Amino acid sequence: MRTGVVRPDVVRPDVVRPDVVRPYGDTTGDGMVQVSFTLPVPHDKRAEGAALQLASKMGLEPALLVHAKAMGPDFTFFVVYGSVRHLVDLREVTVVEREFPLLTPSEVNKAIRSRLRRKLVVVGACIGTDAHTVGIDAILNIKGFAGEKGLEYYRELKVVNLGAQVLVPELVSRARSERADVVMVSQVVTQKDAHLQNTAVMSAAFREAYPAGEVPLLVVGGPRFEEGSAGRLGVDRVFGRGTTPAEVASYLVHALVDGKEQEQP
Ligand code: B12
C-alpha cells in the first residue's frame, strides 16, 4: 500500500489528462455535484418534493435530498446531491492572466523610491452601508493575508484606512486632503447589485471632483467582482476573491511607477 501525503499543487507529468471532463463524486466521471438553495415554502414533504423537482429541472438526475432545514416558518434550506450529464471542455476555458509581474516588498519599495522619489499615498475604505472590513484590512493592515504583510508594511507606501460605511463625499474629501495617488474601495455586500451601484457612484464622484487626468487611480475589490469588469464600472482595476497584498502592491508599481523616469543620482 502506498502511503504519504498527496500534494495537490504538484502536477504529475506522467499522467495523461483528458480535455473533456465531468464532475467526480464516487467514481471518475460520474457527474456528481452538490447544490444548496432556499425555497420560499414551509418545511414539509411538499417542500422536499419541490426541491427534487427543481433539481431535476436543473439536470440533476438522479438527485438525492441530503439536507432540508426550516429557515423560520416560511422558508426551507436544501442540499441536493445528484448527477449531471454536462461535459466540461477545458479547451474552451478562458483565463484572465495577471498583466504585471509579482514583486517582493523590497522590489516595490525600491521602484517607488527610485522612480517616484516620494511616498505613494493610498486611501482606502468600505463605502455605502457595507461594514465588511476584513477584506480591505487584509490588503491594507500590516498583519496582511495568506502569509503576506499588508500595504502598511511597505516603507514607501503611506496608507490611510478610513474603515467601514464611509460616505463617498467623505472619501473624496479625504483623498484630496491626503493627495492620494490611489483610492481603494471594498464592496462585499452584493444584494441588489449594491457593489456595482456604489462603485459607479464613487467613480462618478471622483471624476466630477478632480480635473480630467488628475483623478487618483481607482481600485475596487470584493469577493463577487467579475474579473475584467473595471472598464464597465468606471474604475482602473478590480480585485476579486483571494487577492493578496503583494498582488495589489505590484499592480500599483505597474500602474503608477513603471514608465516614470529613473531618479538622477
Ligand atoms: C465576517 C462577516 C460579517 C461580519 C463583518 C465583520 C467585519 N468587520 O468585516 C458581520 C457580522 C458584521 C457581518 C454583517 C453582515 N453580513 Co456578513 N459576512 C461575513 C462573512 C462570514 C465573512 C466575510 C469575510 O470577512 N471574508 C474574509 C475576507 C478576507 O474575504 P473578502 O472580504 O472576500 O476579501 C478578500 C477579497 O475579496 C479582496 N478584497 C476585498 N475587498 C477589497 C478591496 C480592495 C481595494 C482590494 C484590492 C481587494 C479586496 O481581498 C481580500 C483578501 O483576499 C461572509 C460570508 C463568507 N464566508 O464570505 C458574510 C457575508 C458577506 N455577509 C452577508 C450579509 C448578508 C451580512 C448582513 C447584511 C447580515 C444581516 N442581515 O445583518 C450584515 C451586513 C452588515 C453591513 N452593514 O455590511 C452576506 C452577503 C450576501 C450578499 N450577496 O451580499 C455574506 C456573503 C453571508 C451570506 N452567505 O449570506 N458579516
Side-chain angles (χ1 to χ4, degrees):
M1 195 179 78
R2 265 169 56 142
T3 55
V5 178
V6 176
R7 295 264 315 271
D9 56 326
V10 176
V11 176
R12 289 174 48 198
D14 55 316
V15 175
V16 180
R17 292 189 171 73
D19 288 322
V20 178
V21 296
R22 296 178 73 204
Y24 173 103
D26 304 316
T27 55
T28 305
D30 61 11
M32 297 305 284
V33 300
Q34 181 168 296
V35 293
S36 62
F37 51 88
T38 302
L39 289 179
V41 283
H43 181 206
D44 56 15
K45 285 284 171 199
R46 192 176 69 119
E48 295 189 359
L52 287 172
Q53 185 193 108
L54 177 66
S56 163
K57 287 181 175 171
M58 289 168 69
L60 271 73
E61 198 78 69
L64 191 67
L65 186 67
V66 291
H67 181 68
K69 190 168 192 307
M71 306 294 286
D74 300 322
F75 296 83
T76 312
F77 173 74
F78 302 96
V79 178
V80 174
Y81 185 57
S83 176
V84 292
R85 281 177 183 68
H86 311 81
L87 301 172
V88 178
D89 190 338
L90 297 172
R91 292 163 300 196
E92 290 173 10
V93 176
T94 53
V95 177
V96 181
E97 298 288 355
R98 183 165 26 82
E99 70 277 26
F100 51 87
L102 203 54
L103 306 176
T104 63
S106 66
E107 288 170 329
V108 169
N109 285 330
K110 193 168 164 234
I112 297 173
R113 198 169 45 243
S114 64
R115 280 179 260 159
L116 209 61
R117 295 180 251 177
R118 61 170 173 81
K119 288 198 178 196
L120 197 145
V121 181
V122 178
V123 172
C126 287
I127 58 169
T129 57
D130 207 326
H132 293 86
T133 50
V134 179
I136 193 150
D137 287 349
I139 302 298
L140 297 182
N141 290 5
I142 196 161
K143 69 176 191 278
F145 181 69
E148 292 179 7
K149 296 263 202 289
L151 301 194
E152 283 177 353
Y153 170 75
Y154 291 68
R155 222 174 312 137
E156 301 300 327
L157 294 177
K158 178 186 175 191
V159 176
V160 181
N161 186 350
L162 302 179
Q165 300 190 330
V166 175
L167 300 173
V168 168
E170 194 185 327
L171 179 63
V172 172
S173 145
R174 192 64 187 269
R176 291 179 84 118
S177 65
E178 295 286 349
R179 302 171 74 87
D181 297 289
V182 193
V183 171
M184 292 203 182
V185 159
S186 182
Q187 287 287 272
V188 173
V189 173
T190 60
Q191 287 158 338
K192 298 189 174 152
D193 283 344
H195 63 314
L196 306 180
Q197 285 166 28
N198 288 341
T199 299
V201 167
M202 181 274 296
S203 158
F206 273 94
R207 290 181 203 291
E208 199 182 312
Y210 281 76
E214 291 179 28
V215 180
L217 194 73
L218 301 178
V219 176
V220 293
R224 296 214 188 163
F225 280 107
E226 218 181 294
E227 275 184 314
S229 63
R232 255 181 289 140
L233 296 172
V235 296
D236 295 289
R237 187 69 158 75
V238 298
F239 284 94
R241 201 164 39 92
T243 302
T244 69
E247 288 176 304
V248 180
S250 304
Y251 168 71
L252 297 185
V253 170
H254 165 75
L256 292 172
V257 179
D258 279 353
K260 292 252 189 308
E261 291 232 333
Q262 191 87 25
E263 182 183 9
Q264 296 304 312

